[in-house]
Amino acid sequence: MDTSQNTALLRALTELPGPPPARGVIHIAIRHTDRFTVVGNDLAQHPGLSTTAVGFAVRIQSLPQGTEVGIKALAARFPEGEKLIAAALRELETHGYLQRARTRLPNGRIVTRTVFCNQPTALLRPRAAAAPPQLPPAARPITTHAQASEPTVKPEASPEPDPQPEPTPDPPAPLAAPPQAAAPPFVRLVPPPTAPKPPRPPLPRPRELTPELERISTALLSDLRHHAPQFTLSEEHVRELVPGVAAWLERDAHPDTIRHTLTINAPEPVNYPYQFVKHRLTVLLPPPLPGAHDLTPPPARRNPVTPFQTCDGCERAFRAPTPGHCRDCRTEDEQQATAA
């Protein structure tokens, strides 16, 4: 059975003015009257954006105001997966088309607010100067239809002297334009694509790369492909990553723990296993274990307490640093000594 062809499209092709091009695309442009979105070539032909990012930018631009455009919301609406959508949104953020910021609502809830700009390069241009003030309708000269249609016929000469023309009132002065507030300075919220990126942290290294640490690290990296086939490293890459694994072993990390950390929740597929392992060895490096003196709690600070003493005279208990008499007995002894 033959495939049916779109005869309407072929008929429209024959109605195009002029000869069609010998090769390349031929446009049949039909003017939209409703349900359309204007997309500029700044986005449609952007050299730094992938086709996926341009497609999602057009889809986001066509959505009404207030529509959820998060990764999960877009994945539920469109057939692409969350990873592809997240990569496209990151591209749009890098080139200034999209900005995502966390905002706290008056009720205390924190939400992510997404701002989309269809032409971010226009935000960097200087603002246009204010237009000259226009005259109000009352100050403009009015020409009626009767005045425009009157014939310009001069009256015949008369021997009588011409009457003095009446004084013409001065036209009303144009109203002054209200002062316009100065436009606030433009602040770029998204760094430009040409902004220098911060340097990546270096691969961790041990204090001393002993032969034992080098042997265990080499064996661990070479054995990764037995647990996860996508982590097949070359001999040169293993040699470069050995200091990073040795730094983990120097901090008392178990080899099984290192292997689990390097291979858990890995993307499918791992296109660059060397870069992936190097990133995790650098970013997820555990801190060194504390020593015994670091885990000892500080001594509790106690207020000095004066002990109880028994009075040698009346055997009454009282607080004093040394044994002796209580205050009453000392007062009585002083009175007796004064009387004597």
Side-chain angles (χ1 to χ4, degrees):
M1 185 176 181
D2 295 338
T3 304
S4 59
Q5 297 182 357
N6 190 348
T7 58
L9 187 61
L10 297 177
R11 185 172 62 254
L13 183 61
T14 60
E15 297 175 357
L16 289 177
R23 63 183 64 184
V25 65
I26 302 175
H27 291 285
I28 298 178
I30 301 175
R31 184 178 180 85
H32 292 278
T33 57
D34 59 349
R35 293 181 54 81
F36 65 91
T37 301
V38 178
V39 179
N41 289 338
D42 178 76
L43 173 62
Q45 300 180 5
H46 198 288
L49 289 176
S50 63
T51 306
T52 305
V54 173
F56 274 103
V58 174
R59 292 199 169 190
I60 293 174
Q61 187 176 343
S62 65
L63 295 176
Q65 194 96 326
T67 305
E68 294 289 339
V69 290
I71 297 177
K72 294 188 178 296
L74 293 177
R77 180 186 296 267
F78 304 122
E80 287 79 5
E82 293 186 5
K83 293 183 179 179
L84 187 61
I85 294 175
L89 295 183
R90 285 194 297 269
E91 285 188 53
L92 295 176
E93 280 186 306
T94 302
H95 291 84
Y97 287 91
L98 190 73
Q99 180 189 6
R100 291 177 288 187
R102 300 177 68 85
T103 307
R104 184 182 297 274
L105 299 179
N107 58 0
R109 181 184 176 187
I110 298 178
V111 297
T112 301
R113 178 169 295 173
T114 305
V115 180
F116 182 86
C117 180
N118 62 342
Q119 194 177 359
T121 55
L123 299 178
L124 302 179
R125 301 172 187 167
R127 303 299 176 90
Q134 299 291 338
L135 294 178
R140 298 176 184 173
I142 302 176
T143 304
T144 61
H145 179 71
Q147 294 176 352
S149 60
E150 286 182 356
T152 57
V153 179
K154 294 184 179 180
E156 297 180 357
S158 174
E160 297 179 0
D162 296 335
Q164 295 294 333
E166 297 181 359
T168 305
D170 297 335
L175 299 179
Q180 297 184 358
F186 173 74
V187 179
R188 186 182 180 91
L189 301 180
V190 180
T194 57
K197 297 182 180 180
R200 295 183 178 181
L203 186 71
R205 294 184 175 275
R207 292 190 297 271
E208 181 182 0
L209 184 59
T210 61
E212 185 68 14
L213 287 177
E214 185 176 2
R215 181 186 64 81
I216 299 176
S217 302
T218 304
L220 189 148
L221 291 171
S222 303
D223 189 59
L224 284 180
R225 62 179 184 269
H226 290 159
H227 301 271
Q230 62 267 32
F231 287 94
T232 301
L233 301 172
S234 65
E235 184 176 359
E236 181 181 359
H237 288 166
V238 169
R239 193 181 306 111
E240 294 179 2
L241 294 174
V242 160
V245 179
W248 283 59
L249 295 172
E250 191 180 53
R251 300 190 177 194
D252 294 338
H254 197 272
D256 293 339
T257 304
I258 301 176
R259 185 184 302 108
H260 178 78
T261 305
L262 296 180
T263 57
I264 190 65
N265 292 333
E268 291 290 345
V270 180
N271 297 324
Y272 304 98
Y274 166 73
Q275 297 291 347
F276 186 84
V277 173
K278 181 180 178 181
H279 174 74
R280 289 203 168 182
L281 286 175
T282 305
V283 176
L284 303 180
L285 179 67
L289 292 178
H293 62 281
D294 297 330
L295 299 177
T296 304
R301 183 179 179 182
R302 297 180 179 179
N303 297 327
V305 180
T306 305
F308 281 101
Q309 306 290 344
T310 302
C311 179
D312 295 339
C314 62
E315 297 185 355
R316 181 187 299 173
F318 67 99
R319 290 185 181 274
T322 57
H325 294 81
C326 63
R327 182 175 55 185
D328 295 342
C329 292
R330 290 196 304 270
T331 304
E332 186 178 353
D333 293 342
E334 291 176 359
Q335 293 176 354
Q336 293 178 359
T338 304

